[in-house]
Amino acid sequence: MLGKKEKQVPLDPQNIPRHIAIVMDGNGRWAQKRGLPRKAGHSAGSETFHKAATILAELGVEHLTVYAFSTENWKRPPDEVQEIMNLLERYLKKSVRELTENNIQLDFWGDLTPFSPKLRQLIAQTDEISKQCTGMHVHICLNYGGRDEILRGARALAQDCLAGKLLPEQIDEKALEARMDCRGAPAPDLLIRPGGELRISNFLLWECAYSEFYFTDTLWPDFDETELRRAVAAYQGRQRRFGGLK
Ligand code: FPP
């Protein structure tokens, strides 16, 4: 699946994005095109995620954030939701060790409270194993919504005010961010959305204020090393001004 290195899209090693965020979209269509059940698309998507994490770590990316299950994905048919949960459990049982052997640190963004005790236990174990690692951070977003992340942060601010730990006039961007899932991570430099849709779908609404966006029709399970390098090359061609002048 991976292209040969010698034929690869050239990249400037001095301008690798520190943080890449990905909406892993198109799994269902990938499966349908092959006459397979949607779950086969999610399964192929999880393999693509695994390969992408390894490739991006080698490129020198420091943070990778992936949208695996949104606060809105509960609206899908219960059997598809269950299949994604089963896939996550299988993934956390089998594949996490391989990522951590590559020194990749995994953590989870989102409200994890609605998940089964078994999945939450696997998540806690993964967090524990990851503590030994010092390499790229991978943030897996589960029951994650950008609005929900901001709301949970706002609630934590209100609680700290009520407890007398914080004055309302002390609330600034830093204070809110310190209570959000993204605390400690730099803002994404590049947001990639495969699958042909041109929207953000409630992903990282706070964090993406000045991210560069890259959209492509390629479906996520087909998003190989060449596609990743194309996205990074597009980023390297952008001029970032953050609202200022050149
Ligand atoms: C969007 O494609 C994908 C999802 C809602 C699920 C993503 C989950 C995985 C890739 C697997 C688990 C991840 C990890 C980190 C192990 P879609 O189903 O909306 O595709 P469609 O638009 O073609 O229907």
Side-chain angles (χ1 to χ4, degrees):
M1 192 165 173
L2 301 184
K4 289 208 172 68
K5 283 237 160 44
E6 54 274 22
K7 282 191 197 156
Q8 278 301 1
V9 180
L11 294 177
D12 173 2
Q14 302 306 320
N15 188 18
I16 298 295
R18 279 186 75 195
H19 185 170
I20 295 183
I22 306 182
V23 179
M24 303 186 289
D25 194 19
N27 297 340
R29 279 165 288 161
W30 182 91
Q32 275 156 3
K33 268 170 64 179
R34 287 162 178 76
L36 298 169
R38 288 177 61 82
K39 70 174 180 186
H42 296 312
S43 175
S46 71
E47 284 169 30
T48 302
F49 154 73
H50 198 82
K51 287 177 190 157
T54 312
I55 293 164
L56 293 175
E58 278 171 19
L59 272 184
V61 171
E62 294 171 39
H63 292 260
L64 168 67
T65 305
V66 291
Y67 211 3
F69 193 82
S70 76
T71 44
E72 288 75 32
N73 285 152
W74 299 104
K75 292 181 202 158
R76 293 189 177 209
D79 58 334
E80 180 167 346
V81 171
Q82 192 51 53
E83 277 156 5
I84 295 176
M85 298 301 142
N86 294 347
L87 181 61
L88 280 165
E89 275 186 22
R90 279 204 305 278
Y91 184 82
L92 293 180
K93 271 188 203 151
K94 276 194 185 165
S95 314
V96 162
R97 208 157 277 280
E98 202 183 306
L99 283 188
T100 47
E101 273 162 18
N102 291 339
N103 203 22
I104 291 174
Q105 318 182 48
L106 279 172
D107 69 2
F108 300 85
W109 291 5
D111 174 7
L112 305 177
T113 51
F115 294 118
S116 69
K118 197 171 164 199
L119 187 54
R120 283 164 63 181
Q121 195 196 356
L122 282 167
I123 288 172
Q125 276 169 8
T126 306
D127 276 336
E128 203 47 45
I129 298 171
S130 272
K131 279 188 191 142
Q132 307 148 16
C133 302
T134 54
M136 182 172 77
H137 296 264
V138 175
H139 314 290
I140 299 183
C141 294
L142 291 180
N143 189 32
Y144 174 88
R147 289 181 175 181
D148 184 63
E149 185 190 12
I150 297 167
L151 273 176
R152 286 183 285 112
R155 233 176 264 138
L157 282 173
Q159 274 157 2
D160 284 349
C161 285
L162 276 175
K165 294 183 199 160
L166 190 73
L167 294 168
E169 50 273 28
Q170 291 173 319
I171 295 175
D172 56 10
E173 290 187 10
K174 226 172 118 188
L176 176 57
E177 255 185 37
R179 291 158 178 84
M180 289 172 62
D181 298 327
C182 64
R183 61 187 166 274
D189 300 294
L190 171 64
L191 181 134
I192 301 173
R193 181 163 190 159
E197 309 288 4
L198 306 179
R199 55 178 172 255
I200 193 161
S201 300
N202 201 12
F203 190 40
L204 305 177
L205 298 182
W206 172 272
E207 296 84 342
C208 281
Y210 276 101
S211 304
E212 297 297 325
F213 286 16
Y214 179 85
F215 295 101
T216 169
D217 288 337
T218 304
L219 304 173
W220 173 246
D222 292 328
F223 209 85
D224 60 9
E225 181 170 7
T226 303
E227 296 285 346
L228 277 172
R229 293 177 75 101
R230 274 192 197 132
V232 174
Y235 165 85
Q236 294 187 336
R238 307 272 176 92
Q239 190 192 79
R240 305 188 76 192
R241 292 192 297 278
F242 298 93
L245 300 177
K246 192 184 165 191

